[in-house]
Amino acid sequence: MMPKKARDGTDTWGLLDYLYGPGKRDEHANPHMVASWDDPYVEDPVRSPHMTLADLALIMDAPVHALLGKRPARHVYHVAVRNAPEDRLLTDEEWARVAREMMHASGIAEHGDDQACRWVAIRHADDHIHIVATQARQDGRQPRLRQDIPKMHAAARKFETEFDLRQLTHGDKTARKWPKTGEQEKAVRRGLSEPVRETLQRTVREAAAAAVCDDDFFARLTASGVRVKQRAAPDGNVTGYSVAMPGDRDGGQHAVWYSGARLASDLSLPRVRERWQNPVSVPVTVPAEMWREAERRVRAAADQLGAGGLHQGAGDVAALGDLIVIAAVISPRMVRDRLRDAAREFERASRVPGDRALEGEARGLYRESAQLLSRSAAAAGRSDAVAALGFLLALATAIEASRRWHQAQEHRAQAEASGRAGRLLREAVEVTAGASAAREYRPRPTRATSRTQGARRAPAVSRERPMAGVVQEAVPPHARAVLADPAWPALRTRLVAVEQAGEDPVDVLTAVAARRGLESADSVAEVLTWRLDGWQRQRAATATATGKSPSPTSKDGTSRTGTPRTTGAPGPTRRPPGDERKGPRRAR
């Protein structure tokens, strides 16, 4: 259950009219009142011929107009309380209890106070209610709304237990700062794929993870294309910074600036500087060895994560988060999207409530790995998924170690974030394993040549060959579990695509299954699906690079590894760009 407070307003009737109306983004179904400040004497405008929306707004605003002192500039108090999609549907009576408790916790209308503010709770959807109140008590005073949001969240946690709803965590001020509704709508109007806040947050985090000093940090931000503004104290020392996207302006045509702290709690300048407070030394490594050197350090750090206590562990997971960010930037294109999603999921896990130590051994190793990969970023275009496989395996191990550490410290939100990031890393590992198998795959020539000429036949077209038999032949120990797995239809689709490409699905499935063990997989079918994704991407990349068909076999199933072609005209000679000379006349 999530209470979310909107900005205070000035138009009670306008808000009521919207809540009782059809809605703009979400369809409002059967809007009606479930509770009010004076049940049962406040009539619902949709159920009573004696009450209109204008009448209800006038009654609610009456104490505001009767205030003896200065009126609040924005007197309309608005809170939405929403349940998770998987929660059961609450009755109107249960939502009424929720509304009364939220008003009590916020200070708008405490239990037993007959002079409190006036409010109504409106339900126009199954999963949430809206509570509208006016910030003026009936005795002529203004309410005290100190810590209203944390108190309403505490009340929500009690209802989650009582109503058997999804259990959310207490606010520990480590959650990411989500874009506001206006920012999201602005991104839609401008045709952007995400709100500007999200883009800036990711850009600043990547620069902070790779930087080694203030000058390097600000230079990386400038090079990324964002606008940077430093804030300096009278003595000339830089105490903060703000960033803005070019072209992002408000209604007054002024640039919209975001300070680092507005983007995320660990992106303020003091927190960013903690990353290079203890410099690390990184040896010079040839690009071909960068993944192997980073893998060695990550594996060593996984055993040391959190060994020095709570504060040291907090620094360790923060450094691990930076490493995942850098890995996502320079990772092979085949798995880059998955690593970026993993970095986004692990962001919450990298922030721990309280202080963090900066001298941990694991933190130093993670920092060294991040610097090693960052300095080798120029070689990222030449790296491939096969070379990065060992590093990705080590990174998945490190994330699992962080999940166990968070669980031991009872950091529930961080442990769940580590689990989600770990799943994405495992998916990237399996895709990489499939690509590695495709690179080393050599078709068996005996499969086609062992038949007599009369018995030779073309491979079955899509859906003619039973793919269940392919699984039973390729991975017999796991066949029963695969065929009963919910992920089997997706795997079958991949196998059909392999056959349509002219390859033997038995050989291909055998090759990807043998690449890494399957005994520890939660879903063998899902793992094999990921590996076949990597297989197909690698074959497509190879075909693009060579200009040939990705299939190693001809249409009739025979191998192309026999004698080279000696007849026919040679291929055209490639000329440099701009050479307009005509080629030789073709003989007739």
Side-chain angles (χ1 to χ4, degrees):
M1 181 175 290
M2 178 59 66
K4 184 177 180 180
K5 180 181 176 182
R7 287 182 295 182
D8 293 341
T10 60
D11 187 359
T12 305
W13 181 88
L15 179 56
L16 292 174
D17 182 62
Y18 168 74
L19 296 177
Y20 275 101
K24 295 181 179 179
R25 290 184 301 171
D26 301 324
E27 182 180 358
H28 295 175
N30 185 28
H32 59 281
M33 186 187 302
V34 296
S36 70
W37 78 92
D38 194 16
D39 285 330
Y41 301 106
V42 178
E43 297 178 294
D44 189 347
V46 300
R47 295 176 177 175
S48 172
H50 307 293
M51 178 73 74
T52 65
L53 289 179
D55 293 336
L56 179 60
L58 184 62
I59 295 172
M60 293 181 65
D61 285 341
V64 179
H65 298 298
L67 284 175
L68 300 178
K70 183 179 179 181
R71 298 180 183 177
R74 295 179 176 273
H75 67 275
V76 180
Y77 188 91
H78 179 200
V79 176
V81 187
R82 186 181 300 269
N83 283 344
E86 64 270 21
D87 285 340
R88 70 175 180 86
L89 300 183
L90 301 185
T91 65
D92 283 354
E93 290 74 18
E94 290 172 326
W95 276 122
R97 283 190 55 203
V98 171
R100 296 187 189 98
E101 196 62 36
M102 292 299 167
M103 291 295 92
H104 169 75
S106 66
I108 288 288
E110 296 182 353
H111 296 324
D113 186 354
D114 57 0
Q115 297 297 314
C117 301
R118 296 179 176 180
W119 60 271
V120 293
I122 301 167
R123 182 181 188 181
H124 55 211
D126 290 335
D127 62 348
H128 69 278
I129 60 171
H130 291 265
I131 309 175
V132 181
T134 49
Q135 298 184 54
R137 290 173 52 84
Q138 299 179 65
D139 56 7
R141 296 183 293 119
Q142 295 185 12
R144 296 187 61 183
L145 305 179
R146 191 177 187 86
Q147 295 291 311
D148 54 339
I149 291 297
K151 291 177 181 178
M152 284 191 287
H153 276 270
R157 301 296 83 78
K158 296 179 181 179
F159 280 116
E160 289 165 0
T161 302
E162 179 181 351
F163 293 158
D164 193 23
L165 307 176
R166 178 183 175 184
Q167 299 285 317
L168 301 182
T169 57
H170 291 282
D172 56 9
K173 298 184 179 180
T174 62
R176 65 184 294 119
K177 297 184 182 296
W178 297 98
K180 298 179 181 179
T181 302
E183 296 171 348
Q184 294 174 336
E185 295 175 348
K186 184 178 182 181
V188 173
R189 291 196 304 269
R190 297 181 60 192
L192 302 178
S193 59
E194 63 181 0
V196 169
R197 180 191 293 269
E198 293 287 309
T199 304
L200 290 174
Q201 196 258 22
R202 184 177 61 255
T203 303
V204 173
R205 188 172 299 281
E206 291 173 358
V212 295
C213 63
D214 283 20
D215 292 340
D216 187 23
F217 172 61
F218 291 119
R220 289 178 182 272
L221 284 179
T222 303
S224 67
V226 303
R227 301 178 62 185
V228 184
K229 181 170 61 177
Q230 300 182 26
R231 183 174 64 252
D235 58 1
N237 292 325
V238 178
T239 59
Y241 72 97
S242 298
V243 291
M245 286 293 291
D248 184 30
R249 299 184 178 278
D250 59 15
Q253 294 303 306
H254 301 107
V256 180
W257 294 92
Y258 294 84
S259 65
R262 282 185 62 195
L263 296 176
S265 60
D266 58 340
L267 292 182
S268 63
L269 188 58
R271 280 295 181 112
V272 168
R273 283 171 169 165
E274 288 181 356
R275 290 166 165 83
W276 52 78
Q277 181 171 329
N278 293 333
V280 296
S281 59
V282 181
V284 179
T285 306
V286 296
E289 295 293 324
M290 70 170 184
W291 294 114
R292 187 173 293 108
E293 286 294 322
E295 175 189 353
R296 183 178 62 82
R297 287 170 169 79
V298 171
R299 290 193 182 280
D303 298 332
Q304 301 297 324
L305 191 148
L310 176 60
H311 296 322
Q312 182 173 313
D316 294 343
V317 295
L320 177 57
D322 284 346
L323 174 59
I324 301 173
V325 168
I326 295 298
V329 171
I330 72 165
S331 59
R333 185 172 287 105
M334 185 178 299
V335 294
R336 190 170 299 166
D337 290 343
R338 289 176 173 85
L339 261 69
R340 283 177 174 171
D341 291 341
R344 178 184 175 88
E345 290 291 351
F346 195 80
E347 179 191 326
R348 179 72 181 273
S350 66
R351 291 191 292 267
V352 177
D355 298 329
R356 57 186 183 185
L358 308 176
E359 297 81 15
E361 181 179 352
R363 184 182 188 278
L365 291 170
Y366 288 142
R367 187 68 180 163
E368 289 178 13
S369 301
Q371 289 297 312
L372 183 63
L373 296 181
S374 178
R375 294 182 184 182
S376 303
R382 298 191 296 272
S383 65
D384 54 59
V386 177
L389 177 57
F391 170 77
L392 295 178
L393 282 167
L395 199 59
T397 302
I399 292 178
E400 176 60 22
S402 73
R403 187 186 67 83
R404 293 194 299 267
W405 181 80
H406 281 305
Q407 285 181 330
Q409 306 301 324
E410 297 184 354
H411 298 156
R412 179 177 175 180
Q414 286 80 358
E416 292 176 353
S418 297
R420 293 190 297 269
R423 174 180 169 80
L424 290 166
L425 252 296
R426 291 193 297 274
E427 183 176 346
V429 165
E430 301 303 344
V431 170
T432 307
S436 178
R439 173 169 292 187
E440 300 177 4
Y441 175 73
R442 296 295 180 270
R444 295 187 300 173
T446 58
R447 196 169 190 83
T449 58
S450 60
R451 303 188 184 98
T452 64
Q453 185 67 24
R456 179 179 301 177
R457 63 179 179 88
V461 297
S462 172
R463 301 189 183 276
E464 287 189 1
R465 184 173 186 176
M467 292 302 162
V470 171
V471 173
Q472 292 169 347
E473 185 175 350
V475 285
H478 305 285
R480 184 185 297 273
V482 168
L483 297 178
D485 197 298
W488 161 239
L491 175 59
R492 186 184 185 280
T493 301
R494 303 304 192 282
L495 291 172
V496 170
V498 167
E499 187 179 47
Q500 288 178 333
E503 297 174 334
D504 192 318
V506 174
D507 288 350
V508 172
L509 189 60
T510 301
V512 298
R515 193 63 190 175
R516 294 184 62 244
L518 297 169
E519 291 74 17
S520 61
D522 294 332
S523 171
V524 175
E526 194 171 43
V527 168
L528 292 176
T529 301
W530 292 336
R531 292 186 189 179
L532 287 179
D533 283 343
W535 171 284
Q536 292 172 327
R537 294 188 183 189
Q538 180 62 41
R539 304 294 274 184
T542 302
T544 301
T546 61
K548 298 180 180 180
S549 170
S551 172
T553 58
S554 63
K555 291 184 179 180
D556 62 357
T558 58
S559 173
R560 290 185 178 177
T561 58
T563 58
R565 185 180 63 181
T566 57
T567 61
T573 304
R574 179 172 296 180
R575 296 193 178 98
D579 191 346
E580 300 296 336
R581 291 177 299 170
K582 295 182 178 180
R585 186 179 298 275
R586 188 171 185 179
R588 296 183 181 273

